[in-house]
């Protein structure tokens, strides 16, 4: 896509124009060193800066280029508000080493921490009753964002507002902190604005459901919307070498016909199938000729039953809270068509291993190893790419590309050759996400 320019901002063009105007004005050539030409050089730099600023301001009127508060304003015009950050949560346990004879009141908003950087506040007032050694209470991060996620059990151990509860001896988090999401960044927000027009439909298109799913929670970065399917298994009686199964929305491509011993029959040799006017007709032959009954299995679309499968940033599987948010957003009366039944499910996962050998030269060995195996290197990038999106097959060629060419923009040096044993190319259905198993066998060989 070409860059859009409202005014000319090329340095050479502007400089040439200014120099020509000055020379025309004084009626003689201006050579290097002439103070009038030096003045023109300085003026050209100022004008280039002004033109670039004006051009940027004009371009930000377009959704493609808008950012920050300007993008917020464009979103407001389409009734699409940037998603606020979400707050991580956990469960805290407050304890005393010996039971006391009176109740201890733990006020709502009591602050605790594990590093004096990330603070959590109790959600409600709790009471540690006389004779008890502990009480559990839910707590929420002081600020939103992913920085408050993944604090391990037991790491939150300091009561900040100790003067409010002097009788308590300790605190600890019983669960890993989770649920924190950053404020929506410009690119995903821009995509939601682009898809905003889809929400106007009341017919239940997939794009409209996807828009509302992405708007339900800032952690959701992708979603697949599809009609639910069911698998029908029937044993059909035969009539003059034919068997029949009626029903709308059958999927002939999924048909499986079984022989009497339970093995699969061969299409063309043992039967032919035709589906027309909502009737599946089997003409039996070969091993099925003369059969009194035949067992079949076939899929069927269940139109009106909508399944939504969301995924979170970085390929994280959505929690029950996130799934509930998506269901609530997509089932609202002003979103869901009256005849639709909406369900929301977490994606299935398919694990893969990494096993490979790559080659490099002695001169580039240390740099290539860092670019391939280092933190944020080619392998880490591939794992993130492979697992962050639904409806994406496991593709070892993407891993190969990143190892050989880590980053064109930064001119990073990649391997000279790579042999990938695992993963193998694997087709995944639209609601399955690839997840790295953690099993990684990587070695490099130096040649030359």
């Amino acid at each position: 896509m070409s860059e859009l320019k409202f005014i000319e901002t090329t340095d050479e063009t502007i400089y040439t124009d200014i120099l020509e105007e000055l020379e025309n004005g004084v009626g003689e050539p201006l050579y290097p060193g002439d103070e009038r030409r030096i003045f023109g050089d300085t003026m050209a730099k100022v004008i280039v800066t002004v033109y670039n600023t004006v051009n940027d301001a004009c371009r930000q009127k377009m959704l493609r280029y808008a950012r920050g508060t300007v993008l917020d304003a464009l979103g407001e015009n389409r009734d699409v508000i940037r998603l606020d950050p979400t707050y991580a949560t956990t469960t805290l346990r407050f304890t005393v080493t010996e039971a006391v004879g009176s109740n201890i009141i733990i006020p709502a908003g009591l602050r605790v921490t594990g590093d004096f950087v990330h603070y959590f506040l109790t959600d409600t007032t709790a009471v540690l009753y006389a004779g008890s050694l502990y009480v559990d209470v839910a707590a929420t991060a002081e600020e939103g964002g992913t920085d408050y996620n993944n604090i391990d059990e037991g790491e939150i151990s300091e009561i900040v507002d100790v003067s409010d509860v002097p009788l308590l001896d300790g605190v600890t988090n019983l669960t890993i902190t989770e649920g924190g999401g950053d404020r929506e960044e410009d690119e995903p927000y821009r995509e939601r604005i682009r898809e905003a027009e889809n929400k106007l439909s009341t017919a239940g298109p997939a794009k409209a459901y996807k828009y509302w799913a992405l708007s339900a929670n800032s952690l959701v970065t992708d979603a697949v919307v599809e009609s639910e399917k069911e698998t029908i298994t029937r044993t059909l009686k035969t009539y003059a070498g034919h068997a029949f199964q009626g029903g709308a929305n059958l999927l002939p491509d999924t048909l499986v016909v079984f022989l009497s011993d339970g093995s699969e029959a061969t299409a063309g040799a043992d039967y032919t199938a035709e589906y027309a006017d909502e009737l599946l007709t089997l003409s039996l032959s070969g091993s099925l000729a003369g059969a009194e009954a035949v067992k079949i299995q076939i899929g069927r679309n269940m139109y009106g039953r909508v399944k939504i499968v969301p995924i979170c940033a970085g390929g994280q599987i959505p929690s029950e809270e996130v799934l509930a948010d998506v269901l609530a957003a997509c089932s609202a009366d002003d979103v869901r068509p009256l005849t639709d039944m909406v369900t929301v499910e977490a994606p299935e996962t398919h694990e893969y291993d990494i096993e490979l050998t790559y080659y490099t030269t002695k001169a580039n060995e240390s740099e290539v190893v860092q670019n391939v195996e280092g933190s944020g290197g080619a392998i880490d990038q591939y794992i993130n790419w492979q697992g962050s999106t639904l409806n994406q097959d496991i593709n070892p060629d993407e891993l190969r590309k990143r190892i050989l060419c880590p980053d064109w923009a930064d001119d990073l040096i990649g391997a000279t050759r790579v042999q990938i044993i695992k993963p193998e190319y694997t087709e995944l259905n639209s609601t399955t996400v690839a997840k790295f198993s953690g099993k990684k066998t990587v070695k490099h060989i130096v040649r030359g």
Side-chain angles (χ1 to χ4, degrees), residues 252-274:
D253 290 343
T254 66
L255 175 66
V256 179
V257 180
F258 297 94
L259 300 174
S260 58
D261 61 2
S263 61
E264 290 187 18
T266 303
D270 298 322
Y271 70 94
T272 57
E274 180 182 0

Side-chain angles (χ1 to χ4, degrees), residues 1-71:
M1 187 178 295
S2 61
E3 287 292 315
L4 179 62
K5 286 187 177 181
F6 286 88
I7 56 176
E8 181 59 56
T9 60
T10 305
D11 296 13
E12 293 182 1
T13 302
I14 295 174
Y15 174 77
T16 301
D17 290 344
I18 290 176
L19 184 60
E20 288 180 356
E21 289 296 325
L22 287 174
E23 291 180 334
N24 291 335
V26 299
E28 60 179 320
L30 298 178
Y31 297 102
D34 190 311
E35 61 185 12
R36 293 169 295 179
R37 179 163 180 161
I38 294 172
F39 171 77
D41 291 345
T42 303
M43 187 168 61
K45 294 177 181 178
V46 174
I47 292 176
V48 167
T49 301
V50 172
Y51 278 17
N52 275 311
T53 301
V54 172
N55 188 59
D56 180 65
C58 292
R59 293 204 308 174
Q60 283 207 67
K61 294 182 179 180
M62 317 296 292
L63 180 61
R64 188 202 313 179
Y65 298 103
R67 61 184 183 272
T69 56
V70 178
L71 185 60

Side-chain angles (χ1 to χ4, degrees), residues 363-406:
N364 297 328
E365 180 182 9
S366 60
E367 185 175 353
V368 171
V369 170
Q370 177 62 32
N371 293 341
V372 173
E373 300 183 57
S375 177
I379 294 176
D380 282 355
Q381 292 176 21
Y382 171 77
I383 292 171
N384 181 69
W385 172 86
Q386 184 67 81
S388 60
T389 307
L390 290 165
N391 201 14
Q392 182 165 268
D393 297 334
I394 296 177
N395 187 357
D397 288 334
E398 179 69 23
L399 177 58
R400 185 186 313 279
K401 180 184 75 173
R402 291 174 184 265
I403 291 175
L404 297 177
C405 302

